[in-house]
Amino acid sequence: MSASEKPTDTPERLAFYEKIAKKSLKPLWAVMSNIITPEPTSDCIPHLWKFDEAKEYLLEAGGLITAKEAERRVLILENPGMPDSSKTTTSLYAGLQLVLPHEVAPAHRHSQSALRFVLDGSGAHTAVNGERTTMEYGDFVITPPHSWHDHGNHTDEPMIWLDGLDIPIVTAFDASFVESLGEDEQPINRQTGDSLARFGSNMLPVDYQQERLASPIFNYPYERSRGALETMKNQQEWDPCHGLKMRYVNPVDGGYAMPTIAPFLQLIPKGFKTAAYRSTDATVYVAVEGTGRTTIDGKVFEWGPKDIFVVPSWKWVSHEPDGEAVLFSFSDRVAQEKLGLWRQDRGNS
Ligand code: GTQ
């Protein structure tokens, strides 16, 4: 018998299983092949959400409930392979959040880490740890675990961003706590841009001691990240599987910007098709610039700016933009690496 085969259920065995089930006991050999699999198996399936369509529904939700009543007015990007799970991948959650003009999403804090990737509108803000940041297209913003955060929109246009949270990871550990501040907005005691100046200028405050696992940079502006890719692309050094792919880091320790979620930004040049690749970190992608198609497990998904798609663990993926394209993505790679679980397969590359 191989590791993936299950012993036959004889009548005597079944009777035994039933008898011991009453005592909360269960034979491993009857389930072993379901729980220790030769390679990853997942209910998570490849899927793409068209931004324009989701935006219409989000604006419709805006007429049904305020940000304040909802606390967070978000449409969860629920994986169709995992109905009623509030999951986008097995370990991560993603949603689209709308803050209408002159609304506030009240201050709270929770165990879960959050990232924002700004998709629509300009100039609304989020506040974390006494600092406010205004958000522009493509900005990557972090809310570390247990940090007070509230969102507001003092502009005249709706603002929509993608939320990425480690909700399923925190649930798996039964470690969820949430508190409300009791005020809509937290007190502001740092000027906008303070954390970026202090920690994102290739310097650190002398004697700075790491206080938490998440990066002390609060907003990684798209302008800077995109500008870096623009300079680097002239070198024409392409990874066959990724094009030009960078990870957002915590400048204090060089690790990923967040303790449980690994965020990335990549540029794929015109005329390039990435070589087939798979890894154990299921990944949520956002097309930031350009149009093209991604083949996931043999199925083709066409995307344009702001569309979001998900690649499950250990499924082959290949991107083929029409012209130059930029993709933002996030996965649980950082958590898997810490646990010694992460694996990749670069095919023939
Ligand atoms: O903005 O704090 O999509 O607490 C889900 C839970 C966003 C948030 C979500 C949240 C938030």
Side-chain angles (χ1 to χ4, degrees):
M1 204 197 68
S2 87
S4 58
E5 273 171 47
K6 191 179 130 167
T8 320
D9 287 332
T10 64
E12 294 80 3
R13 287 173 182 174
L14 285 170
F16 173 70
Y17 303 162
E18 225 171 280
K19 184 169 68 182
I20 66 171
K22 295 188 185 96
K23 301 293 173 190
S24 305
L25 295 167
K26 185 172 167 152
L28 168 64
W29 62 89
V31 295
M32 182 105 163
S33 58
N34 303 335
I35 58 175
I36 304 183
T37 58
E39 57 177 67
T41 60
S42 176
D43 290 330
C44 175
I45 61 175
H47 192 74
L48 179 140
W49 290 264
K50 280 277 169 206
F51 179 79
D52 289 344
E53 189 180 271
K55 179 179 172 176
E56 270 182 47
Y57 290 121
L58 205 43
L59 292 173
E60 192 177 332
L64 288 174
I65 191 162
T66 62
K68 194 162 172 177
E69 191 191 347
E71 189 159 335
R72 298 295 184 263
R73 191 201 291 108
V74 176
L75 295 183
I76 301 171
L77 303 178
E78 185 169 71
N79 193 285
M82 299 184 288
D84 300 322
S85 66
S86 301
K87 295 178 179 184
T88 308
T89 72
T90 303
S91 63
L92 295 174
Y93 155 109
L96 288 168
Q97 177 156 183
L98 168 70
V99 185
L100 288 170
H102 316 297
E103 278 194 320
V104 175
H108 70 189
R109 64 176 177 181
H110 40 66
S111 321
Q112 291 80 1
S113 297
L115 67 80
R116 329 280 168 196
F117 191 79
V118 181
L119 292 179
D120 213 49
S122 165
H125 64 266
T126 186
V128 171
N129 294 326
E131 182 180 337
R132 238 179 216 175
T133 189
T134 49
M135 296 186 277
E136 304 299 333
Y137 185 63
D139 286 1
F140 159 60
V141 177
I142 297 176
T143 308
H146 293 298
S147 306
W148 293 113
H149 55 286
D150 47 87
H151 315 301
N153 186 350
H154 296 165
T155 78
D156 292 324
E157 51 172 337
M159 182 101 194
I160 299 172
W161 61 77
L162 178 73
D163 283 324
L165 283 89
D166 57 2
I167 293 171
I169 296 178
V170 176
T171 304
F173 287 113
D174 281 341
S176 175
F177 294 91
V178 63
E179 284 175 83
S180 287
L181 183 63
E183 308 276 335
D184 281 356
E185 298 187 299
Q186 65 187 285
I188 300 302
N189 49 32
R190 309 192 81 87
Q191 65 175 322
T192 293
D194 182 83
S195 70
L196 187 61
R198 203 170 292 269
F199 300 102
S201 305
N202 304 317
M203 299 183 283
L204 291 175
V206 68
D207 298 328
Y208 180 74
Q209 299 280 318
Q210 189 162 12
E211 286 168 9
R212 52 171 119 95
L213 295 171
S215 169
I217 298 176
F218 170 25
N219 184 344
Y220 294 69
Y222 188 61
E223 197 185 356
R224 278 213 201 172
S225 316
R226 181 65 180 88
L229 293 177
E230 192 61 24
T231 300
M232 284 181 279
K233 85 178 191 195
N234 297 324
Q235 198 65 33
Q236 306 265 324
E237 283 170 6
W238 312 117
D239 179 293
C241 298
H242 305 304
L244 172 58
K245 185 167 181 176
M246 305 294 285
R247 62 186 181 92
Y248 289 91
V249 299
N250 177 345
V252 181
D253 61 12
Y256 285 96
M258 304 172 69
T260 50
I261 308 180
F264 307 91
L265 191 69
Q266 84 193 87
L267 183 146
I268 305 171
K270 187 174 160 61
F272 198 87
K273 183 178 183 197
T274 63
Y277 175 87
R278 61 181 177 170
S279 58
T280 52
D281 53 324
T283 303
V284 178
Y285 282 91
V286 184
V288 193
E289 294 179 30
T291 61
R293 66 209 51 78
T294 293
T295 306
I296 310 166
D297 198 22
K299 204 170 157 200
V300 180
F301 295 86
E302 299 277 345
W303 42 259
K306 307 183 185 184
D307 292 343
I308 299 144
F309 58 93
V310 58
V311 179
S313 167
W314 214 238
K315 298 297 187 203
W316 290 104
V317 60
S318 167
H319 309 290
E320 190 183 9
D322 296 322
E324 182 176 278
V326 178
L327 302 174
F328 172 81
S329 60
F330 65 92
S331 77
D332 62 12
R333 176 169 166 173
V334 54
Q336 288 198 36
E337 284 181 355
K338 282 177 193 155
L339 299 172
L341 294 171
W342 185 76
R343 265 203 215 187
Q344 65 176 341
D345 179 349
R346 296 179 54 92
N348 301 319
S349 310

